[in-house]
Structure formats: C-alpha cells, structure tokens
C-alpha cells in the first residue's frame, strides 16, 4: 500500500480538494494524509493567542470569520443537500467547540486542542466529499494511533499496533484518510508533531505499515539539479539518496526536513515528491539507493561568514581545535564548513548573532580574519572518495572563480566551495555547464 500526503495548499480551496479527490481515486488501495487547509493552522494560532490574552471577543470574532469561510466552502464542495447538511452540522459542532474555550483557563494544553482542529476539519470535509462521490472511504482518527513518548518522540511500536487495528477494523475500504500533524502524547493528551509535521506523519505511517512508497504532494516540481532562479537549463532530479537530500535541505531546497524522512529512511521506504499541478510528472524519489558515479545537484546558501584563525603556536600542538570549537559551543553557533592547515583553521557560520563575542574570544588564541557576504556552493552526488575524477570536475568548473575554502570528504555525498556572494550566480552556472552538460 502507498501513503500519499497532501499539504495545506493542495487542499487549500474546495476546487483543490476536488482535484485531490480525483487524483487519489484511481482504484488503488491507499492511505491519504492531509494537512489543514492553508492558513487555517495560522488562524488557530491567532485564536489561541487571543484566548491566552483573555480577549474573548477577539477570539470569537476570528472564530466566526473562520466559520464563515468554511461554510462557503461547503456550498462549493458538495452537490447534494444531504452532504451539505451533514458537513454544516459537523462544522457547527467544531466551531462551537472552539468558542467554548472562552469559558476556562487557557494553557498550552488547550492550545494544542485548538491547533488540532485544522486537520480534523480538512479530513472530514474531503472524506464527506469522497463519500458523496460514492467512493469507499474510511476516515482514520490519527488521535487513535499517532502517539509520542515521554521524550516527545514518536512511539513506533504504539503507532504500528494501533494503526494496524484501525485498518483491520475497516478491511474493505479503498481509501483511508487521516490527519497529518496531530497526535496524542505520552499522557494521552492531544498534541502535535510541530508545525509542518504532516510530512512526519506520512513518514511514520509509511514506516508503520511498511508502505511500498510514501508520496509527498505539493504544488511545486520536485527537486531541480540547480536553482532555476539563477541558472538556465536546470532539470528535475529523478532520484536522490536520503543523505543527498539531507545535504540539500540545509541549502533551503524545497525538500523534506531531514527528521521528517528519518522513519522512512530507516524502514527503507522510498519517499517521492510529486506535484499536484503536474501529476503525470515522475517527481523526485528519495531512497537508500546511490546512483553510482552520478553528480545530482548543485545548491547555494547566502549570507555566510568565514572566520580564519592562524596561530604559529598551533604547529604540532594539540588541543587547539578543541579550544576553538568550545568558543562556538559556548555561543551556540554551529559551524558549517571547516578546513584546516597545520597553522590555521577556517570555518564558516550562517548565524552571526554572537559574532563579536566569538571573535573576541578567538583572538586570545591567534590572529583572526573575517570575510562577510560569502556563499556556500555545494555539489551533491556520489562523491565517494575512491571514485576518481569527480572532485576534479567540480574544481575544474570553478577555475575562473576565486574560492575561499573547499570542503570534501566529510560525507560521501558532497563537495562544498566557499565563494564571494557576488560570484554565486557565475559559480552555479559554471557548475551546471560543466557537470550537467549533455
Ligand atoms: N497544519 C500544520 C501546519 O500548518 C501541519 C502541516 O501542514 O504540516 O503547520
Ligand atoms: Mg549546520
């Protein structure tokens, strides 16, 4: 069985819900995970904020606005009075439930109950629509099987057992719909998997049922081999290793968060990114397979600061790197690239909040130089060290661009260059021209 997840914009309007319904109704048995309609979770956060501030009128006003919006969706979504009435009754009950929070204390516990409503609304609406269309659909309540433990980590054993029970109780359904994002915690309270957590839900469900594939549907094309905003002739990447995807995630690639795909990665289940606007396109599959000898993609990250510390005392001394790293640790600043020589070390950071403090401390140990407005250019692919020629190819592409640092060998999947921000586009284009030329 496959697991398909649709994000907020994919179910963001009644028309989009109809499109999703059509897409999933292909005769194949599947589990479908839905987010809240886009904007709803943010509105629920706003409502909670009013409740926290004890501004009941403010909260009620926003709840009423939201209720009106949903009531309009009902008119557009359903064709029959039967389903219009059924859904309106359901919505009335849910919005009354939200209003009722004005009567009591409002804490984190209540807020989580409020935040859970977005996915409860969207999944009920789509399920009712599918029923109206005569589809054999069952809504599985995520609060019955999705659970976190005392460390707020998902509890795979609980999830597997209870999800299985739910599915076995409805063996003949063609489509199982369920809520992304929401869960219960170790104390049985309503909780969630953090904002954007629906991908995590899909990945956890996929791992629990050992799905054939997990599909994450959004409204963008999967991954491209370079950034189409800066580079001509980019192409979709068909396949990525989980590690390659994780490297690219740091560069803001519109790709899954690495923690969200972990359950799928460990269970060996491929995750495929698909585009609801172009459903026939193959998308990008992320799996545990390495395509040998292939460079997959290039990505860049701006606003990087490079710091070099040079010290002749470092020559043949030990403990120098520890002292340097401790300073970054003390100021909770993570180092992204690093490159060492016998007398110095260069590092890059993207968070400059504590830069001055860090520099002051570093100066105790050597001469410090800083370069601002730098950019990391990362080449991702099969860069296992005993392959020959690939790092040469990448450096060859960069031959006309001043390179401040190179990092290679930290993983089997990347080589990174630190260049001036102003050279970014040139570097990206040069890499595309060299690495992906046909
Ligand atoms: N609805 C939740 C959010 O907006 C979860 C999700 O969409 O993944 O964060
Ligand atoms: Mg980092």
């Amino acid at each position: 069985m496959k697991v398909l997840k649709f994000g907020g914009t994919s179910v963001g309007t009644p028309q989009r819900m109809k499109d999703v319904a059509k897409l999933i109704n292909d005769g194949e048995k599947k589990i479908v995970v839905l987010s809240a309609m886009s904007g709803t979770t943010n509105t629920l956060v706003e409502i909670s904020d009013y409740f926290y501030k004890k501004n009941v009128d403010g909260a009620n006003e926003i709840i009423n606005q939201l209720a009106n919006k949903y009531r309009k969706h009902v008119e557009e979504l359903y064709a029959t009075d039967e389903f219009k009435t059924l859904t309106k009754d359901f919505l009335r009950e849910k919005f009354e439930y939200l209003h009722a929070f004005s009567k009591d204390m409002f804490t984190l516990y209540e807020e989580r109950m409020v935040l859970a409503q977005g996915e409860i609304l969207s999944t009920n609406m789509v399920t009712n629509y599918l029923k109206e269309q005569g589809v054999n659909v069952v809504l599985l309540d995520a609060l019955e099987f999705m659970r976190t433990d005392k460390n707020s980590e998902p509890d795979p054993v609980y999830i597997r057992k209870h999800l299985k029970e739910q599915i076995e109780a409805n063996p003949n359904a063609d489509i199982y719909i369920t809520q992304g994002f929401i869960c219960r915690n170790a104390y049985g309270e309503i909780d969630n998997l953090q904002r954007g957590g629906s991908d995590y839900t899909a990945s956890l469900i996929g791992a629990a049922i050992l799905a054939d594939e997990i599909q994450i549907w959004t409204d963008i094309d999967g991954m491209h081999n370079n950034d189409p905003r800066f580079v001509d002739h980019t192409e979709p990447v068909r396949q990525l290793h989980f590690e390659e995807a994780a490297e690219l995630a740091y560069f803001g690639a519109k790709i899954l968060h690495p923690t969200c795909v972990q359950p799928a990665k460990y269970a060996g289940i491929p995750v495929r990114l698909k585009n609801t606007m172009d459903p026939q396109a193959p998308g990008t599959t992320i799996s545990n397979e390495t395509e040998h000898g292939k460079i997959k993609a290039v990505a860049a990250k701006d606003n990087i600061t490079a710091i070099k510390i040079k010290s002749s005392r470092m020559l043949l001394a030990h403990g120098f790197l520890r002292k340097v790293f401790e300073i970054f640790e003390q100021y909770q600043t993570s180092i992204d690239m690093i490159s060492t020589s016998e007398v110095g070390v260069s590092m890059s950071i993207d968070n400059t909040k504590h830069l001055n403090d860090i520099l002051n401390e570093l100066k105790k140990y050597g001469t410090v130089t800083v370069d601002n407005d730098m950019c990391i250019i990362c080449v991702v692919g099969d860069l296992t060290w005993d392959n020959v020629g690939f790092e040469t190819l990448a450096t060859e592409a960069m031959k006309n661009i001043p390179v401040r640092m190179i990092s290679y060998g930290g993983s089997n999947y990347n080589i990174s260059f630190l260049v001036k921000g102003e050279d970014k586009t040139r570097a990206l284009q040069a890499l595309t021209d060299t690495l992906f030329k046909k």
Side-chain angles (χ1 to χ4, degrees), residues 35-36 41 119 181 195-198:
S35 290
T41 310
E119 273 70 12
F181 177 61
R195 294 303 304 273
S198 295

Side-chain angles (χ1 to χ4, degrees), residues 79-96:
T80 62
D81 284 340
E82 182 195 348
F83 278 91
K84 285 184 186 174
T85 311
L86 182 80
T87 310
K88 273 187 192 158
D89 289 347
F90 163 78
L91 290 178
R92 188 175 314 114
E93 189 193 307
K94 288 293 142 193
F95 285 104
E96 274 167 16

Side-chain angles (χ1 to χ4, degrees), residues 205-354:
I205 291 179
I209 65 160
L210 293 176
D212 305 319
E213 180 174 287
I214 298 162
Q215 297 181 351
I216 306 289
W217 289 78
T218 59
D219 55 351
I220 54 160
D221 243 354
M223 277 292 307
H224 270 234
N225 61 3
N226 205 327
D227 192 331
R229 290 171 303 174
F230 303 107
V231 172
D232 301 326
H233 313 300
T234 66
E235 276 175 17
V237 181
R238 296 266 174 269
Q239 194 274 348
L240 284 173
H241 190 278
F242 280 114
E243 302 282 337
E244 293 170 330
E247 293 288 350
L248 291 169
Y250 169 75
F251 293 86
K254 282 278 178 230
I255 213 168
L256 305 164
H257 195 279
T259 50
C260 289
V261 283
Q262 253 186 24
K265 178 178 159 184
Y266 291 136
I269 298 166
V271 176
R272 196 199 287 230
L273 310 176
K274 297 272 290 174
N275 185 355
T276 36
M277 310 303 256
D278 187 10
Q280 297 313 320
T284 303
T285 304
I286 306 169
S287 67
N288 281 323
E289 263 162 52
T290 306
E291 278 189 278
H292 290 290
K294 265 195 93 170
I295 304 272
K296 295 299 185 53
V298 177
K301 192 166 171 85
D302 302 311
N303 297 322
I304 302 293
T305 301
I307 303 168
K308 177 159 73 189
I309 168 160
K310 244 176 50 188
S311 164
S312 39
R313 274 183 292 157
M314 183 174 163
L315 192 68
L316 303 176
H318 57 80
F320 179 74
L321 282 179
R322 180 179 55 76
K323 283 183 202 144
V324 169
F325 288 160
E326 266 171 5
I327 294 166
F328 287 86
E329 160 78 28
Q330 184 189 340
Y331 291 101
Q332 296 179 3
T333 300
S334 77
I335 297 169
D336 290 316
M337 274 177 82
I338 173 156
S339 160
T340 62
S341 85
E342 209 33 75
V343 290
V345 49
S346 271
M347 290 148 295
S348 83
I349 59 171
D350 61 8
N351 171 3
T352 50
K353 198 168 151 207
H354 300 292

Side-chain angles (χ1 to χ4, degrees), residues 142-148 159 182-184 193 201 204-205:
L143 299 178
E144 296 286 328
F145 63 83
M146 195 49 71
R147 196 174 266 251
T148 52
I159 297 167
I182 67 176
C183 64
R184 284 188 191 275
L193 301 170
T201 303
L204 289 165
I205 291 179

